Amino acid sequence: MQIKLALPKGPLQDRTAVLLKEAGFAVGDYDQGSRSYRPQCEASPGLFVKVFHEKDIAIQVAIGNYDLGICRFDWVEELLVKYHSDAVVKVQALGYGKRNLYAVAADSSEVGSLQELKSRSESLRIVTEYPNLAESFALTQRLRKFQIFPVWGAAGAYLPENAELAIMTGASSSVLREQGLVPVATILGGGAYLVANRNSLESKDLSRILSALSAAEVVATDVEEAVKIGAGSGTRRQIEGEFGIYLALPDGHQQRHTAGFLKKAGLGIRGYSVGRPTTRPRIGLDGVAVKVVRPQDMPLQVANGSFDLAITGRDWLQDHRFRFPSSPVEEVLELGFGWVRIVAVVSQDLPVSSTKDLRRLGRDSALRLASEYVNIADKYALDNHLVPYKLIPTWGATEAFLPEDADVLIENTETGSTIAKHKLKIIDTLFESSACLIGNTEAMRRRDKREKISHVIEAMRRGVEARPVS
């Protein structure tokens, strides 16, 4: 009997590896620096292990692709609060990875307590990675009017200009205050959990691994799962100066390339160092405010007016435009770095070498397409008549889905080496992408913004022209 276990990629990896070793299920090549999505457990040949982004694990266990999984409590609750009958069971807390889910406001805002939120007559804008938990919080607290804006991350960066409240995680309230954020409520608290598929608990003998993990358990670090009012006593910091326009810069792996480009363009920028969680660096342009957010969020946030300009990838702009063809956001300037291809990928064992071959492939069920680029994947399937098909949204580590949990990936690649390393192959290139400056079309026509936006564009154009010829 095979037991399938989903393990988290990222911050929980090292502690999870220690837990498994103590339980007698040591997994080789499973640590922070590993790129393997299928580490082996030699002590238990019947245990199939795969590594996912944390947010995907609760979903994969719920739909029955995996019998057991380890992820933090917040992603489990984000699923369960909306899908109450989902077949995912929280088996036990594992005692590490503690963090809380907070409702926070900016310390420069007028929001200082939960009671102030409840008495607010205007619509409250809530930004979050946890839209289901945010809605549950707003309804439970009987907030009069509210709007929820889902983002990929960096929710605190949107306060206070683009939202009044963020639902986000943090190690402690003091850490949030250091970032200029005031916790007004603690919504949930906990750490890493072992979760199980309900049907697997009833139909498979999981007792050996469950008892071993229980014996290796560290003392749980949960906090009470109830709303706690925290008025926030930190010093309020006022936003300095008046800004005519807002520019969004990317975090993550594009940050280093973007910082280098801005330096070459002669745009002095402070507080935009790789590895430092600064959300508001300063740029050497009068009247321009900068925020650091996820590039995936930028096209939508530029379209809805949160930012006037942003540096993101053409891939994310295209994904946005496929869903919103008339969106008021456009590419202003190609910046010449961050080049990747958007490709269709399958397992090397699948007997296809092109998209055309996929249409000919005999199937008993819908073709499963996994991707972070949900709208690009959807258009690819429709344009190529790959029916019937099913889209599987992912949050990273997409290569892990093939071949057991998806048939095709729509992925980005620079050299293709990572794809080949995981025994996958490219069967089609959809388009090429690189970093670009995007802008809100309405803002670029406004008299009060037009001149400052032009200054930013021209400065970046100089950076492009200064690019060494390869």
Side-chain angles (χ1 to χ4, degrees):
M1 178 188 67
Q2 185 184 65
I3 297 173
K4 300 178 72 175
L5 171 64
L7 297 180
K9 178 180 174 66
L12 291 182
Q13 274 188 258
D14 289 343
R15 293 295 302 274
T16 301
V18 171
L19 175 73
L20 292 170
K21 184 177 180 180
E22 291 177 352
F25 293 93
V27 176
D29 198 21
Y30 178 63
D31 53 53
Q32 287 277 16
S34 172
R35 297 297 298 271
S36 173
Y37 293 118
R38 290 176 180 77
Q40 301 295 312
C41 180
E42 296 183 1
S44 183
L47 183 65
F48 176 81
V49 179
K50 193 182 278 191
V51 181
F52 291 94
H53 187 287
E54 265 194 80
K55 191 170 184 178
D56 289 317
I57 289 177
I59 298 170
Q60 289 295 309
V61 171
I63 63 180
N65 285 348
Y66 290 82
D67 305 302
L68 299 168
I70 293 175
C71 64
R72 268 187 278 223
F73 78 102
D74 43 0
W75 297 123
V76 182
E77 293 299 330
E78 171 67 8
L79 180 68
L80 290 177
V81 74
K82 184 171 183 179
Y83 302 102
H84 306 289
S85 61
D86 259 343
V88 60
V89 178
K90 290 193 295 184
V91 178
Q92 65 187 55
L94 298 175
Y96 59 90
K98 178 184 176 181
R99 64 184 182 187
N100 296 325
L101 186 69
Y102 295 98
V104 304
D107 62 2
S108 58
S109 72
E110 297 303 317
V111 177
S113 70
L114 193 59
Q115 194 58 43
E116 290 176 20
L117 293 176
K118 291 182 178 181
S119 62
R120 182 185 174 93
S121 58
E122 302 91 349
S123 182
L124 186 73
R125 298 171 297 174
I126 305 173
V127 62
T128 185
E129 285 183 84
Y130 305 89
N132 300 333
L133 284 169
E135 182 180 25
S136 175
F137 170 77
L139 293 173
T140 301
Q141 297 305 312
R142 299 180 182 275
L143 301 183
R144 296 181 181 181
K145 298 178 183 178
F146 62 89
Q147 296 173 287
I148 295 173
F149 298 95
V151 295
W152 284 65
Y158 293 88
L159 303 176
E161 297 89 353
N162 314 119
E164 288 74 43
L165 199 68
I167 306 297
M168 58 184 290
T169 57
S172 67
S173 58
S174 61
V175 170
L176 291 173
R177 288 190 177 94
E178 289 174 3
Q179 299 172 11
L181 303 172
V182 179
V184 297
T186 302
I187 301 172
L188 295 172
Y193 266 86
L194 176 66
V195 296
N197 177 272
R198 188 181 302 277
N199 183 60
S200 296
L201 286 174
E202 296 172 352
S203 63
K204 290 187 175 183
D205 183 5
L206 305 178
S207 58
R208 178 170 169 255
I209 188 170
L210 291 179
S211 59
L213 288 173
S214 178
E217 179 185 356
V218 183
V219 177
T221 55
D222 292 0
V223 299
E224 182 183 357
E225 296 191 0
V227 172
K228 299 177 181 179
I229 298 175
S233 58
T235 303
R236 293 176 182 259
R237 290 186 314 195
Q238 298 299 322
I239 298 175
E240 300 176 6
E242 293 295 328
F243 298 109
I245 66 170
Y246 281 88
L247 168 67
L249 298 182
D251 65 1
H253 69 278
Q254 285 296 344
Q255 185 172 342
R256 178 172 60 87
H257 300 292
T258 304
F261 171 80
L262 294 173
K263 182 178 180 181
K264 185 168 53 180
L267 295 173
I269 186 162
R270 292 180 294 165
Y272 189 53
S273 302
V274 176
R276 298 179 63 184
T278 306
T279 58
R280 292 173 180 267
R282 294 181 177 274
I283 197 167
L285 286 172
D286 291 338
V288 178
V290 178
K291 288 187 179 182
V292 179
V293 300
R294 296 290 170 88
Q296 297 95 320
D297 291 318
M298 289 181 183
L300 180 60
Q301 295 303 322
V302 169
N304 68 24
S306 295
F307 303 103
D308 303 296
L309 297 168
I311 293 178
T312 186
R314 186 179 289 119
D315 46 357
W316 293 113
L317 176 61
Q318 192 78 290
D319 191 70
H320 172 78
R321 294 301 295 268
F322 282 158
R323 183 177 181 186
F324 305 106
S326 59
S327 178
V329 59
E330 66 179 28
E331 179 178 336
V332 177
L333 188 65
E334 182 182 356
L335 301 179
F337 62 89
W339 180 89
V340 293
R341 287 184 294 155
I342 309 303
V343 295
V345 177
V346 299
S347 168
Q348 290 179 357
D349 296 331
L350 196 67
V352 301
S353 58
S354 68
T355 299
K356 188 176 181 180
D357 291 342
L358 279 178
R359 289 197 296 270
R360 297 172 179 168
L361 191 67
R363 304 194 305 271
D364 296 326
S365 58
L367 189 74
R368 300 167 299 169
L369 283 87
S371 184
E372 293 178 86
Y373 305 106
V374 175
N375 304 307
I376 292 173
D378 189 35
K379 190 172 190 302
Y380 168 77
L382 290 172
D383 288 350
N384 290 283
H385 309 290
L386 301 177
V387 291
Y389 67 93
K390 178 171 67 174
L391 292 174
I392 304 173
T394 69
W395 302 92
T398 309
E399 295 96 338
F401 282 76
L402 289 184
E404 297 87 2
D405 309 305
D407 305 302
V408 184
L409 306 181
I410 303 301
E411 181 66 298
N412 68 65
T413 183
E414 186 174 353
T415 66
S417 59
T418 300
I419 289 172
K421 178 182 177 181
H422 293 293
K423 298 182 180 180
L424 309 176
K425 61 184 178 183
I426 298 170
I427 60 168
D428 201 356
T429 297
L430 282 63
F431 60 91
E432 295 181 354
S433 173
S434 61
C436 61
L437 180 69
I438 62 175
N440 181 287
T441 55
E442 297 171 1
M444 289 188 290
R445 290 195 296 265
R446 284 177 50 176
R447 290 183 179 180
D448 58 331
K449 290 179 176 283
R450 195 164 51 202
E451 184 176 352
K452 289 181 179 178
I453 287 176
S454 295
H455 287 165
V456 177
I457 295 172
E458 288 308 310
M460 292 194 183
R461 196 185 307 278
R462 291 193 296 270
V464 173
E465 293 170 352
R467 188 175 63 212
V469 179
S470 56

